Amino acid sequence: MCTMMVQVLWGCFLLWNVYISSAWITHPGIKARATQRALDYGVQAGMEMIEQMAKERNLPDLNGSESLEFLKVDYVNYNFSNIKIHAFSFPNTSLAFVPGVGIKALTNHGTANISTNWEVKSPLFQDSGGADLFLSGVYFTGILNLARNDFGQPTVELQDCHAQVSHAHVSFSGELSVLYNSFAEPMEKPILKNLNEMLCPIITGEVEALNANLSMLEVLTKIDNYTLLDYSLMSSPEITENYIDLNLKGVFYPLENLTDPPFSPVPFVLPERSDSMLYIGISEYFFRSASFAHFAAGAFNVTLSTKEISSHLVRNSQGVGNILSRIAEIYILSQPFMIRIMATEPPVISLLPGNFTLDIPASIMLLTQSENSTAESIVSMDFVASTSVSLVILGQRLICSLSLNRFRLSLPESNHNNIEVLRFENILSSILHFGVLPLANAKLQQGFPLPSPDKISFVNSDVEVLEHFLLISTDLKYETPVKQQPSFYGWEGLNLINGQWRGKPVP
Protein backbone atom coordinates (compact mmCIF):
# COMPACT_ATOMS: atom_id res chain seq x y z
CA MET A 1 0.00 0.00 0.00
CA CYS A 2 3.00 2.28 0.07
CA THR A 3 2.39 3.10 -3.58
CA MET A 4 -0.44 5.48 -2.66
CA MET A 5 2.23 7.71 -1.15
CA VAL A 6 4.01 8.17 -4.46
CA GLN A 7 1.46 10.77 -5.56
CA VAL A 8 2.29 12.83 -2.51
CA LEU A 9 6.03 12.45 -2.92
CA TRP A 10 5.77 13.26 -6.62
CA GLY A 11 4.16 16.55 -5.66
CA CYS A 12 7.05 17.15 -3.30
CA PHE A 13 9.87 16.49 -5.67
CA LEU A 14 8.19 18.63 -8.28
CA LEU A 15 9.08 21.35 -5.81
CA TRP A 16 12.43 20.10 -4.56
CA ASN A 17 14.36 19.09 -7.67
CA VAL A 18 14.61 22.46 -9.03
CA TYR A 19 16.65 23.75 -6.13
CA ILE A 20 18.66 23.31 -2.88
CA SER A 21 21.05 24.79 0.10
CA SER A 22 22.97 27.79 1.81
CA ALA A 23 21.75 30.44 4.15
CA TRP A 24 23.87 33.43 4.74
CA ILE A 25 23.14 35.65 1.73
CA THR A 26 20.45 38.20 2.52
CA HIS A 27 18.45 37.78 -0.68
CA PRO A 28 18.12 34.90 -3.13
CA GLY A 29 19.49 34.88 -6.65
CA ILE A 30 16.66 32.59 -7.77
CA LYS A 31 13.09 32.18 -6.60
CA ALA A 32 10.93 29.24 -7.56
CA ARG A 33 7.18 29.08 -7.03
CA ALA A 34 4.98 26.02 -7.48
CA THR A 35 1.26 26.69 -7.62
CA GLN A 36 -1.76 24.57 -6.83
CA ARG A 37 -1.84 23.65 -10.52
CA ALA A 38 1.49 21.85 -10.00
CA LEU A 39 0.05 19.84 -7.13
CA ASP A 40 -3.08 19.00 -9.10
CA TYR A 41 -0.97 17.80 -11.99
CA GLY A 42 1.18 15.93 -9.48
CA VAL A 43 -1.86 13.84 -8.56
CA GLN A 44 -2.56 13.06 -12.20
CA ALA A 45 1.03 12.27 -13.13
CA GLY A 46 1.55 10.43 -9.86
CA MET A 47 -1.06 7.89 -10.89
CA GLU A 48 0.90 7.21 -14.07
CA MET A 49 4.05 6.74 -12.01
CA ILE A 50 2.30 4.35 -9.65
CA GLU A 51 1.00 2.34 -12.58
CA GLN A 52 4.56 1.86 -13.82
CA MET A 53 5.99 0.97 -10.43
CA ALA A 54 3.27 -1.05 -8.76
CA LYS A 55 3.95 -4.19 -10.78
CA GLU A 56 7.53 -4.25 -9.53
CA ARG A 57 6.81 -3.35 -5.93
CA ASN A 58 6.36 -5.99 -3.19
CA LEU A 59 4.60 -5.43 0.11
CA PRO A 60 5.94 -6.93 3.35
CA ASP A 61 4.69 -10.38 4.26
CA LEU A 62 1.50 -10.70 6.28
CA ASN A 63 1.44 -13.44 8.89
CA GLY A 64 -0.42 -14.40 12.02
CA SER A 65 -2.42 -17.08 13.77
CA GLU A 66 -6.19 -17.55 14.08
CA SER A 67 -8.50 -20.14 15.60
CA LEU A 68 -11.24 -21.64 13.42
CA GLU A 69 -13.95 -22.58 15.90
CA PHE A 70 -16.42 -23.82 13.30
CA LEU A 71 -13.81 -26.42 12.21
CA LYS A 72 -12.83 -27.20 15.82
CA VAL A 73 -9.28 -26.08 14.99
CA ASP A 74 -7.44 -24.41 17.84
CA TYR A 75 -5.18 -22.40 15.60
CA VAL A 76 -4.08 -21.88 12.01
CA ASN A 77 -0.76 -20.18 11.35
CA TYR A 78 -0.83 -18.32 8.07
CA ASN A 79 1.67 -16.39 5.99
CA PHE A 80 1.03 -14.31 2.88
CA SER A 81 4.21 -13.62 0.91
CA ASN A 82 5.26 -12.23 -2.50
CA ILE A 83 2.43 -9.70 -2.28
CA LYS A 84 2.13 -7.73 -5.53
CA ILE A 85 -0.29 -5.04 -6.64
CA HIS A 86 -1.77 -5.62 -10.10
CA ALA A 87 -4.48 -2.99 -10.32
CA PHE A 88 -5.64 -0.11 -8.18
CA SER A 89 -7.80 2.97 -8.20
CA PHE A 90 -7.55 6.10 -6.05
CA PRO A 91 -10.37 8.20 -7.49
CA ASN A 92 -10.46 10.81 -4.74
CA THR A 93 -6.93 12.01 -4.20
CA SER A 94 -5.80 15.56 -3.55
CA LEU A 95 -2.74 17.55 -2.54
CA ALA A 96 -3.10 20.92 -0.87
CA PHE A 97 -0.82 23.49 0.72
CA VAL A 98 -0.90 23.91 4.48
CA PRO A 99 0.31 27.48 5.16
CA GLY A 100 3.56 27.56 7.08
CA VAL A 101 3.77 23.76 7.29
CA GLY A 102 3.86 21.72 4.10
CA ILE A 103 1.58 19.70 1.84
CA LYS A 104 -1.48 17.77 2.94
CA ALA A 105 -2.31 14.56 1.10
CA LEU A 106 -5.71 12.95 1.14
CA THR A 107 -7.05 9.88 -0.65
CA ASN A 108 -10.17 7.83 0.02
CA HIS A 109 -12.41 5.23 -1.60
CA GLY A 110 -9.32 3.56 -3.00
CA THR A 111 -9.23 -0.03 -4.21
CA ALA A 112 -6.46 -2.49 -5.06
CA ASN A 113 -6.22 -5.97 -6.56
CA ILE A 114 -3.33 -7.95 -5.11
CA SER A 115 -1.92 -11.39 -5.75
CA THR A 116 -0.03 -13.34 -3.10
CA ASN A 117 1.41 -16.69 -2.17
CA TRP A 118 0.07 -18.25 1.00
CA GLU A 119 1.00 -20.95 3.45
CA VAL A 120 -1.07 -22.35 6.35
CA LYS A 121 -0.15 -24.70 9.16
CA SER A 122 -2.45 -26.23 11.77
CA PRO A 123 -2.62 -29.40 13.94
CA LEU A 124 -4.81 -31.01 11.27
CA PHE A 125 -3.26 -29.89 7.97
CA GLN A 126 -0.55 -27.92 6.22
CA ASP A 127 -0.74 -26.48 2.73
CA SER A 128 0.33 -23.61 0.44
CA GLY A 129 -0.78 -22.02 -2.82
CA GLY A 130 -1.85 -18.78 -4.39
CA ALA A 131 -4.60 -16.27 -3.63
CA ASP A 132 -6.07 -12.96 -4.77
CA LEU A 133 -6.70 -10.17 -2.30
CA PHE A 134 -9.12 -7.36 -3.09
CA LEU A 135 -8.86 -4.26 -0.90
CA SER A 136 -11.48 -1.50 -0.84
CA GLY A 137 -12.16 1.59 1.20
CA VAL A 138 -8.49 2.59 1.17
CA TYR A 139 -8.01 5.87 3.06
CA PHE A 140 -4.91 7.92 3.75
CA THR A 141 -4.21 11.38 5.08
CA GLY A 142 -0.99 13.00 6.22
CA ILE A 143 1.04 16.19 6.09
CA LEU A 144 4.48 16.41 4.57
CA ASN A 145 6.52 18.97 6.46
CA LEU A 146 9.08 20.57 4.10
CA ALA A 147 12.29 22.04 5.48
CA ARG A 148 16.06 22.11 4.93
CA ASN A 149 18.96 20.54 6.81
CA ASP A 150 22.22 22.13 7.97
CA PHE A 151 23.78 21.46 4.58
CA GLY A 152 21.01 23.31 2.80
CA GLN A 153 19.48 20.17 1.33
CA PRO A 154 15.72 19.61 1.44
CA THR A 155 14.09 17.43 4.05
CA VAL A 156 10.63 15.88 4.20
CA GLU A 157 8.92 14.73 7.39
CA LEU A 158 5.58 12.92 7.52
CA GLN A 159 3.21 14.20 10.19
CA ASP A 160 -0.29 13.13 11.28
CA CYS A 161 -0.28 9.94 9.25
CA HIS A 162 -3.53 8.02 9.23
CA ALA A 163 -4.05 5.11 6.84
CA GLN A 164 -6.75 2.48 6.78
CA VAL A 165 -8.22 -0.22 4.56
CA SER A 166 -11.91 -0.86 5.33
CA HIS A 167 -12.49 -4.13 3.53
CA ALA A 168 -10.42 -7.10 2.38
CA HIS A 169 -11.63 -10.10 0.43
CA VAL A 170 -9.44 -13.17 0.00
CA SER A 171 -9.99 -15.67 -2.80
CA PHE A 172 -7.86 -18.82 -2.75
CA SER A 173 -6.89 -20.73 -5.88
CA GLY A 174 -5.89 -24.36 -6.30
CA GLU A 175 -7.32 -27.83 -5.96
CA LEU A 176 -8.66 -27.23 -2.45
CA SER A 177 -9.78 -23.66 -3.11
CA VAL A 178 -13.42 -24.50 -2.32
CA LEU A 179 -12.39 -25.69 1.13
CA TYR A 180 -10.11 -22.77 1.87
CA ASN A 181 -12.54 -20.17 0.56
CA SER A 182 -15.10 -21.52 3.00
CA PHE A 183 -13.06 -20.23 5.91
CA ALA A 184 -11.47 -17.25 4.12
CA GLU A 185 -13.86 -14.77 5.69
CA PRO A 186 -12.64 -15.37 9.27
CA MET A 187 -9.11 -14.69 8.08
CA GLU A 188 -9.98 -11.36 6.45
CA LYS A 189 -10.38 -9.57 9.77
CA PRO A 190 -6.85 -10.33 11.05
CA ILE A 191 -5.44 -9.56 7.61
CA LEU A 192 -7.08 -6.13 7.76
CA LYS A 193 -5.83 -5.59 11.29
CA ASN A 194 -2.23 -6.44 10.38
CA LEU A 195 -2.37 -4.46 7.17
CA ASN A 196 -3.72 -1.33 8.84
CA GLU A 197 -0.99 -1.52 11.50
CA MET A 198 1.63 -1.73 8.77
CA LEU A 199 0.51 1.10 6.46
CA CYS A 200 1.81 4.19 8.26
CA PRO A 201 5.15 2.56 9.13
CA ILE A 202 5.51 1.55 5.46
CA ILE A 203 4.74 5.08 4.28
CA THR A 204 7.04 6.59 6.91
CA GLY A 205 9.79 4.26 5.71
CA GLU A 206 9.31 5.50 2.16
CA VAL A 207 9.61 9.10 3.34
CA GLU A 208 12.79 8.25 5.24
CA ALA A 209 14.18 6.58 2.11
CA LEU A 210 13.37 9.74 0.18
CA ASN A 211 15.20 11.81 2.80
CA ALA A 212 18.22 9.54 2.52
CA ASN A 213 18.35 10.29 -1.20
CA LEU A 214 17.78 14.00 -0.65
CA SER A 215 20.73 14.05 1.75
CA MET A 216 22.92 12.77 -1.08
CA LEU A 217 21.97 15.57 -3.45
CA GLU A 218 24.99 17.66 -4.34
CA VAL A 219 24.11 21.31 -4.31
CA LEU A 220 26.72 22.55 -6.78
CA THR A 221 26.43 21.92 -10.51
CA LYS A 222 29.44 22.14 -12.77
CA ILE A 223 28.40 24.35 -15.67
CA ASP A 224 31.59 24.29 -17.73
CA ASN A 225 35.36 24.09 -17.30
CA TYR A 226 35.36 27.44 -15.51
CA THR A 227 32.41 27.64 -13.12
CA LEU A 228 30.08 25.95 -10.66
CA LEU A 229 26.50 26.99 -10.05
CA ASP A 230 25.04 26.90 -6.55
CA TYR A 231 21.31 26.13 -6.53
CA SER A 232 21.26 26.22 -2.75
CA LEU A 233 18.09 26.54 -0.74
CA MET A 234 18.61 29.42 1.67
CA SER A 235 15.74 28.75 4.07
CA SER A 236 12.78 26.47 4.59
CA PRO A 237 10.08 26.84 1.94
CA GLU A 238 7.56 29.62 2.36
CA ILE A 239 4.10 28.08 2.06
CA THR A 240 0.80 29.89 1.59
CA GLU A 241 -2.66 28.62 0.74
CA ASN A 242 -1.98 28.96 -2.99
CA TYR A 243 1.70 28.24 -3.57
CA ILE A 244 5.08 27.30 -2.19
CA ASP A 245 8.11 29.55 -2.65
CA LEU A 246 11.71 28.39 -2.62
CA ASN A 247 14.48 30.94 -2.09
CA LEU A 248 17.67 29.77 -3.76
CA LYS A 249 21.15 31.16 -3.56
CA GLY A 250 21.59 31.10 -7.33
CA VAL A 251 25.24 32.13 -7.58
CA PHE A 252 28.18 31.16 -9.80
CA TYR A 253 31.68 30.41 -8.49
CA PRO A 254 34.98 30.02 -10.30
CA LEU A 255 35.78 26.33 -10.37
CA GLU A 256 38.76 26.68 -8.04
CA ASN A 257 37.42 29.41 -5.73
CA LEU A 258 34.12 29.17 -3.82
CA THR A 259 34.20 32.75 -2.56
CA ASP A 260 31.08 34.81 -3.06
CA PRO A 261 31.31 37.70 -5.53
CA PRO A 262 32.07 41.21 -4.19
CA PHE A 263 28.48 42.39 -4.59
CA SER A 264 25.19 41.41 -3.03
CA PRO A 265 21.86 40.35 -4.49
CA VAL A 266 18.96 42.77 -4.36
CA PRO A 267 15.43 41.70 -3.42
CA PHE A 268 12.84 41.02 -6.08
CA VAL A 269 9.23 39.88 -5.88
CA LEU A 270 7.52 37.34 -8.10
CA PRO A 271 4.25 38.59 -9.57
CA GLU A 272 1.04 37.16 -8.18
CA ARG A 273 0.16 34.71 -10.94
CA SER A 274 -1.33 31.23 -10.94
CA ASP A 275 -1.88 30.37 -14.61
CA SER A 276 1.28 28.24 -14.82
CA MET A 277 2.40 25.33 -12.66
CA LEU A 278 5.86 26.70 -11.99
CA TYR A 279 7.40 30.19 -11.92
CA ILE A 280 11.15 30.74 -11.74
CA GLY A 281 12.57 34.19 -11.09
CA ILE A 282 16.25 34.57 -12.04
CA SER A 283 17.73 37.79 -10.73
CA GLU A 284 20.29 40.11 -12.23
CA TYR A 285 22.59 38.93 -9.45
CA PHE A 286 22.55 35.41 -10.92
CA PHE A 287 23.86 36.68 -14.25
CA ARG A 288 26.27 39.16 -12.65
CA SER A 289 27.80 36.36 -10.61
CA ALA A 290 28.11 34.28 -13.79
CA SER A 291 29.89 37.18 -15.46
CA PHE A 292 32.20 37.73 -12.50
CA ALA A 293 33.00 34.03 -12.04
CA HIS A 294 33.84 33.51 -15.70
CA PHE A 295 35.95 36.66 -15.71
CA ALA A 296 37.83 35.59 -12.58
CA ALA A 297 38.43 32.15 -14.09
CA GLY A 298 39.82 33.64 -17.30
CA ALA A 299 37.00 32.36 -19.51
CA PHE A 300 36.84 35.62 -21.46
CA ASN A 301 40.47 35.52 -22.56
CA VAL A 302 40.85 33.89 -25.94
CA THR A 303 43.39 33.79 -28.72
CA LEU A 304 42.12 32.99 -32.20
CA SER A 305 43.96 32.35 -35.42
CA THR A 306 42.81 33.96 -38.62
CA LYS A 307 41.73 30.52 -39.79
CA GLU A 308 39.49 30.02 -36.75
CA ILE A 309 37.82 33.39 -37.21
CA SER A 310 37.47 33.04 -40.97
CA SER A 311 35.65 29.72 -40.54
CA HIS A 312 32.92 31.57 -38.64
CA LEU A 313 32.60 34.56 -40.98
CA VAL A 314 29.27 34.77 -42.72
CA ARG A 315 29.24 34.28 -46.48
CA ASN A 316 28.32 37.18 -48.73
CA SER A 317 29.12 39.66 -45.98
CA GLN A 318 30.45 42.36 -48.30
CA GLY A 319 34.00 41.17 -48.28
CA VAL A 320 34.29 40.46 -44.56
CA GLY A 321 36.27 37.35 -45.43
CA ASN A 322 39.07 39.60 -46.71
CA ILE A 323 39.23 41.79 -43.59
CA LEU A 324 42.21 40.11 -42.04
CA SER A 325 44.17 40.13 -45.26
CA ARG A 326 43.45 43.86 -45.53
CA ILE A 327 44.98 44.32 -42.09
CA ALA A 328 47.97 42.37 -43.29
CA GLU A 329 48.30 44.65 -46.30
CA ILE A 330 48.29 47.69 -44.03
CA TYR A 331 51.32 46.35 -42.21
CA ILE A 332 52.86 44.66 -45.22
CA LEU A 333 53.22 41.46 -43.26
CA SER A 334 53.32 37.92 -44.49
CA GLN A 335 53.37 36.10 -41.17
CA PRO A 336 50.28 34.31 -39.75
CA PHE A 337 47.93 36.52 -37.77
CA MET A 338 46.37 35.97 -34.36
CA ILE A 339 43.79 37.99 -32.51
CA ARG A 340 43.83 37.99 -28.72
CA ILE A 341 40.72 39.26 -26.92
CA MET A 342 40.80 39.80 -23.17
CA ALA A 343 38.03 41.14 -20.96
CA THR A 344 39.38 44.02 -18.90
CA GLU A 345 36.44 43.90 -16.47
CA PRO A 346 33.53 41.53 -15.87
CA PRO A 347 30.85 42.08 -18.54
CA VAL A 348 28.11 44.40 -17.29
CA ILE A 349 24.62 42.88 -17.05
CA SER A 350 21.44 44.95 -17.29
CA LEU A 351 17.87 43.65 -17.07
CA LEU A 352 15.13 46.16 -17.75
CA PRO A 353 11.55 45.44 -18.86
CA GLY A 354 11.78 43.76 -22.25
CA ASN A 355 15.51 44.42 -22.55
CA PHE A 356 18.46 42.23 -21.55
CA THR A 357 21.86 43.70 -22.44
CA LEU A 358 25.46 42.68 -21.89
CA ASP A 359 28.27 45.24 -22.20
CA ILE A 360 31.72 43.72 -22.63
CA PRO A 361 34.72 45.94 -21.84
CA ALA A 362 37.80 44.33 -23.33
CA SER A 363 41.06 44.81 -25.16
CA ILE A 364 41.94 43.36 -28.52
CA MET A 365 45.45 42.71 -29.69
CA LEU A 366 46.63 41.87 -33.19
CA LEU A 367 49.67 39.66 -33.17
CA THR A 368 51.89 38.01 -35.68
CA GLN A 369 54.24 35.13 -35.14
CA SER A 370 56.80 33.76 -37.51
CA GLU A 371 58.11 30.21 -37.17
CA ASN A 372 60.25 29.53 -34.10
CA SER A 373 59.61 32.98 -32.63
CA THR A 374 57.46 34.48 -29.92
CA ALA A 375 54.25 36.30 -30.77
CA GLU A 376 54.77 39.97 -31.55
CA SER A 377 52.08 42.58 -30.98
CA ILE A 378 51.16 44.76 -33.94
CA VAL A 379 48.65 46.92 -32.18
CA SER A 380 46.54 46.81 -29.01
CA MET A 381 43.18 48.54 -28.63
CA ASP A 382 40.48 48.81 -25.99
CA PHE A 383 36.82 48.48 -26.87
CA VAL A 384 33.35 48.09 -25.41
CA ALA A 385 30.89 45.81 -27.21
CA SER A 386 27.25 46.27 -26.29
CA THR A 387 25.14 43.20 -27.02
CA SER A 388 21.52 42.18 -26.69
CA VAL A 389 20.73 38.82 -25.10
CA SER A 390 17.98 36.64 -26.55
CA LEU A 391 16.52 33.88 -24.40
CA VAL A 392 14.71 30.64 -25.06
CA ILE A 393 14.03 27.45 -23.10
CA LEU A 394 15.10 24.28 -24.89
CA GLY A 395 14.54 21.05 -23.01
CA GLN A 396 15.50 21.76 -19.42
CA ARG A 397 17.93 24.60 -20.17
CA LEU A 398 17.80 28.34 -20.54
CA ILE A 399 19.65 29.15 -23.75
CA CYS A 400 21.16 32.59 -24.34
CA SER A 401 22.45 34.09 -27.58
CA LEU A 402 24.21 37.39 -28.20
CA SER A 403 23.81 39.94 -30.98
CA LEU A 404 26.00 43.02 -31.36
CA ASN A 405 24.34 46.40 -30.81
CA ARG A 406 27.24 48.85 -30.62
CA PHE A 407 30.99 48.75 -30.78
CA ARG A 408 33.23 51.53 -29.47
CA LEU A 409 36.97 51.37 -30.05
CA SER A 410 39.68 53.44 -28.37
CA LEU A 411 43.39 53.41 -29.17
CA PRO A 412 46.23 54.28 -26.82
CA GLU A 413 47.67 57.72 -27.55
CA SER A 414 50.98 56.17 -28.59
CA ASN A 415 49.23 54.28 -31.37
CA HIS A 416 47.43 57.23 -32.89
CA ASN A 417 50.30 58.02 -35.24
CA ASN A 418 49.69 55.52 -38.01
CA ILE A 419 46.24 54.07 -37.36
CA GLU A 420 42.86 55.54 -38.06
CA VAL A 421 40.46 54.65 -35.26
CA LEU A 422 37.35 54.58 -37.42
CA ARG A 423 38.97 52.32 -39.98
CA PHE A 424 39.86 49.69 -37.40
CA GLU A 425 36.59 50.18 -35.58
CA ASN A 426 34.66 49.06 -38.65
CA ILE A 427 37.02 46.18 -39.33
CA LEU A 428 37.04 44.88 -35.77
CA SER A 429 33.31 45.40 -35.37
CA SER A 430 32.84 43.06 -38.34
CA ILE A 431 35.23 40.53 -36.85
CA LEU A 432 33.28 40.55 -33.59
CA HIS A 433 29.92 40.42 -35.34
CA PHE A 434 30.71 37.71 -37.88
CA GLY A 435 33.55 35.83 -36.22
CA VAL A 436 33.73 36.11 -32.44
CA LEU A 437 30.02 36.23 -31.52
CA PRO A 438 29.20 33.05 -33.47
CA LEU A 439 31.97 31.33 -31.50
CA ALA A 440 30.54 32.68 -28.23
CA ASN A 441 26.99 31.69 -29.16
CA ALA A 442 28.14 28.17 -30.00
CA LYS A 443 29.40 27.84 -26.42
CA LEU A 444 26.28 29.49 -24.99
CA GLN A 445 24.20 26.74 -26.57
CA GLN A 446 25.08 24.65 -23.51
CA GLY A 447 22.73 26.94 -21.61
CA PHE A 448 21.97 27.15 -17.91
CA PRO A 449 20.38 24.02 -16.43
CA LEU A 450 16.85 24.33 -15.10
CA PRO A 451 16.68 21.24 -12.87
CA SER A 452 13.56 19.11 -12.84
CA PRO A 453 12.58 15.61 -11.73
CA ASP A 454 13.54 12.72 -13.93
CA LYS A 455 11.05 12.20 -16.78
CA ILE A 456 9.55 15.67 -16.20
CA SER A 457 9.83 18.22 -18.98
CA PHE A 458 8.89 21.88 -19.27
CA VAL A 459 6.03 22.71 -21.66
CA ASN A 460 4.22 25.93 -22.57
CA SER A 461 7.23 27.85 -21.32
CA ASP A 462 7.60 31.61 -21.54
CA VAL A 463 10.48 33.93 -20.64
CA GLU A 464 9.96 37.59 -19.70
CA VAL A 465 12.56 40.24 -18.89
CA LEU A 466 11.28 42.33 -15.97
CA GLU A 467 12.89 44.93 -13.72
CA HIS A 468 16.23 43.36 -12.65
CA PHE A 469 15.09 39.75 -13.08
CA LEU A 470 13.86 37.18 -15.58
CA LEU A 471 10.57 35.41 -15.08
CA ILE A 472 10.12 31.91 -16.48
CA SER A 473 6.55 30.63 -16.52
CA THR A 474 6.11 26.97 -17.39
CA ASP A 475 3.90 23.94 -17.09
CA LEU A 476 5.21 20.45 -16.48
CA LYS A 477 4.75 17.18 -18.31
CA TYR A 478 5.49 13.69 -17.12
CA GLU A 479 7.00 11.52 -19.84
CA THR A 480 6.00 7.89 -19.30
CA PRO A 481 9.19 5.85 -19.61
CA VAL A 482 9.41 2.59 -21.49
CA LYS A 483 10.65 0.89 -18.35
CA GLN A 484 10.53 2.52 -14.93
CA GLN A 485 13.00 1.86 -12.16
CA PRO A 486 11.47 -0.26 -9.39
CA SER A 487 11.61 2.55 -6.85
CA PHE A 488 10.38 6.12 -7.10
CA TYR A 489 13.44 7.53 -5.40
CA GLY A 490 15.83 7.04 -8.31
CA TRP A 491 17.47 10.45 -8.69
CA GLU A 492 19.98 9.58 -11.37
CA GLY A 493 18.12 11.70 -13.93
CA LEU A 494 18.38 14.91 -11.94
CA ASN A 495 20.39 17.66 -13.54
CA LEU A 496 21.60 18.69 -10.11
CA ILE A 497 23.47 15.49 -9.40
CA ASN A 498 26.81 16.36 -10.91
CA GLY A 499 29.76 18.56 -10.14
CA GLN A 500 31.31 18.81 -6.72
CA TRP A 501 29.87 19.69 -3.36
CA ARG A 502 31.65 21.46 -0.56
CA GLY A 503 30.18 19.11 2.02
CA LYS A 504 30.15 21.73 4.76
CA PRO A 505 27.16 22.89 6.80
CA VAL A 506 25.64 26.12 5.64
CA PRO A 507 25.82 28.94 8.20
Side-chain angles (χ1 to χ4, degrees):
M1 293 311 302
C2 60
T3 52
M4 73 175 74
M5 194 60 185
V6 176
Q7 301 161 293
V8 183
L9 297 174
W10 192 97
C12 286
F13 69 57
L14 267 181
L15 311 174
W16 287 125
N17 274 321
V18 195
Y19 324 95
I20 335 208
S21 117
S22 204
W24 55 277
I25 284 186
T26 308
H27 304 292
I30 296 175
K31 287 188 175 184
R33 172 173 295 173
T35 66
Q36 182 62 48
R37 285 196 62 212
L39 293 190
D40 294 341
Y41 183 69
V43 173
Q44 174 188 340
M47 293 302 298
E48 296 182 37
M49 295 178 67
I50 294 173
E51 187 175 352
Q52 292 293 319
M53 297 186 308
K55 294 180 181 180
E56 302 179 33
R57 192 74 174 169
N58 287 348
L59 293 175
D61 292 356
L62 288 172
N63 52 69
S65 180
E66 288 295 319
S67 62
L68 301 178
E69 295 181 1
F70 71 98
L71 292 179
K72 307 299 183 182
V73 177
D74 292 335
Y75 70 90
V76 172
N77 294 328
Y78 62 87
N79 180 60
F80 291 89
S81 60
N82 193 28
I83 304 173
K84 290 188 175 182
I85 300 174
H86 291 278
F88 55 85
S89 174
F90 297 133
N92 299 316
T93 300
S94 63
L95 300 174
F97 296 114
V98 180
V101 179
I103 298 173
K104 181 177 181 179
L106 173 66
T107 186
N108 52 35
H109 303 301
T111 61
N113 289 314
I114 297 173
S115 68
T116 179
N117 296 330
W118 58 267
E119 182 181 7
V120 294
K121 294 180 180 179
S122 76
L124 299 179
F125 59 89
Q126 175 178 331
D127 203 357
S128 62
D132 293 320
L133 178 64
F134 177 72
L135 305 178
S136 61
V138 179
Y139 173 84
F140 165 78
T141 184
I143 296 176
L144 288 167
N145 186 311
L146 311 178
R148 62 181 286 276
N149 63 18
D150 291 340
F151 295 94
Q153 298 157 320
T155 62
V156 182
E157 179 185 0
L158 180 63
Q159 296 180 342
D160 302 329
C161 176
H162 180 68
Q164 181 178 336
V165 179
S166 299
H167 305 285
H169 176 70
V170 181
S171 177
F172 293 92
S173 59
E175 295 181 0
L176 299 179
S177 59
V178 175
L179 171 62
Y180 296 136
N181 286 328
S182 66
F183 59 82
E185 185 176 352
M187 297 184 65
E188 291 168 358
K189 183 176 180 180
I191 289 175
L192 272 180
K193 179 176 180 295
N194 287 347
L195 186 60
N196 287 330
E197 289 175 352
M198 292 167 58
L199 285 180
C200 274
I202 290 173
I203 297 170
T204 300
E206 295 292 344
V207 175
E208 291 174 353
L210 173 62
N211 266 324
N213 283 276
L214 291 174
S215 68
M216 296 172 63
L217 287 176
E218 298 185 356
V219 298
L220 292 180
T221 299
K222 183 179 178 182
I223 298 299
D224 49 36
N225 292 331
Y226 300 97
T227 60
L228 299 171
L229 175 55
D230 189 341
Y231 276 120
S232 47
L233 184 66
M234 298 172 61
S235 59
S236 293
E238 300 172 4
I239 303 172
T240 71
E241 291 184 0
N242 301 313
Y243 54 78
I244 177 172
D245 277 354
L246 303 175
N247 293 323
L248 316 167
K249 189 171 182 181
V251 62
F252 281 79
Y253 295 110
L255 199 59
E256 303 300 329
N257 183 3
L258 299 183
T259 303
D260 285 308
F263 46 83
S264 299
V266 296
F268 67 99
V269 179
L270 296 180
E272 292 289 334
R273 300 181 187 176
S274 58
D275 293 336
S276 296
M277 297 180 190
L278 183 67
Y279 294 94
I280 304 173
I282 304 178
S283 73
E284 206 170 71
Y285 171 78
F286 172 91
F287 294 102
R288 288 185 65 196
S289 71
S291 171
F292 179 83
H294 282 88
F295 173 78
F300 299 135
N301 300 338
V302 60
T303 300
L304 301 172
S305 68
T306 54
K307 181 179 179 181
E308 288 175 308
I309 294 179
S310 296
S311 67
H312 289 270
L313 293 175
V314 177
R315 295 178 181 177
N316 303 319
S317 54
Q318 298 179 348
V320 172
N322 296 321
I323 287 173
L324 296 180
S325 61
R326 288 170 55 193
I327 297 175
E329 291 174 2
I330 294 172
Y331 287 93
I332 318 176
L333 294 170
S334 59
Q335 297 94 332
F337 263 93
M338 292 183 293
I339 293 182
R340 182 171 297 161
I341 301 174
M342 296 176 291
T344 54
E345 296 177 23
V348 179
I349 308 290
S350 177
L351 276 71
L352 297 174
N355 190 22
F356 186 167
T357 61
L358 176 67
D359 290 345
I360 308 170
S363 66
I364 186 167
M365 184 181 297
L366 306 183
L367 306 106
T368 185
Q369 184 176 10
S370 58
E371 293 185 9
N372 302 322
S373 67
T374 59
E376 180 180 347
S377 173
I378 299 173
V379 65
S380 176
M381 296 159 279
D382 294 329
F383 69 89
V384 176
S386 179
T387 66
S388 291
V389 182
S390 299
L391 303 161
V392 67
I393 295 177
L394 293 177
Q396 311 305 103
R397 290 179 174 266
L398 177 66
I399 308 297
C400 304
S401 62
L402 306 179
S403 58
L404 187 63
N405 291 336
R406 297 184 307 277
F407 179 81
R408 299 187 304 275
L409 179 68
S410 60
L411 290 172
E413 290 296 329
S414 59
N415 287 343
H416 275 212
N417 304 355
N418 303 315
I419 300 176
E420 297 178 15
V421 173
L422 288 178
R423 187 177 184 184
F424 274 90
E425 190 170 80
N426 291 334
I427 293 172
L428 296 175
S429 176
S430 296
I431 292 174
L432 284 174
H433 185 77
F434 295 106
V436 176
L437 287 184
L439 286 170
N441 285 332
K443 292 187 177 182
L444 286 173
Q445 289 304 302
Q446 299 177 52
F448 300 110
L450 298 173
S452 67
D454 191 24
K455 310 303 180 186
I456 301 299
S457 59
F458 293 154
V459 295
N460 304 323
S461 302
D462 184 51
V463 184
E464 300 175 66
V465 183
L466 302 178
E467 188 81 20
H468 302 309
F469 73 98
L470 291 181
L471 180 66
I472 297 174
S473 308
T474 186
D475 289 336
L476 304 165
K477 182 179 180 181
Y478 172 64
E479 303 289 350
T480 304
V482 176
K483 182 177 180 180
Q484 179 74 16
Q485 294 295 323
S487 175
F488 62 81
Y489 37 81
W491 298 86
E492 64 280 357
L494 279 180
N495 293 329
L496 286 182
I497 304 185
N498 52 63
Q500 300 175 350
W501 176 45
R502 282 172 284 178
K504 297 183 292 185
V506 176

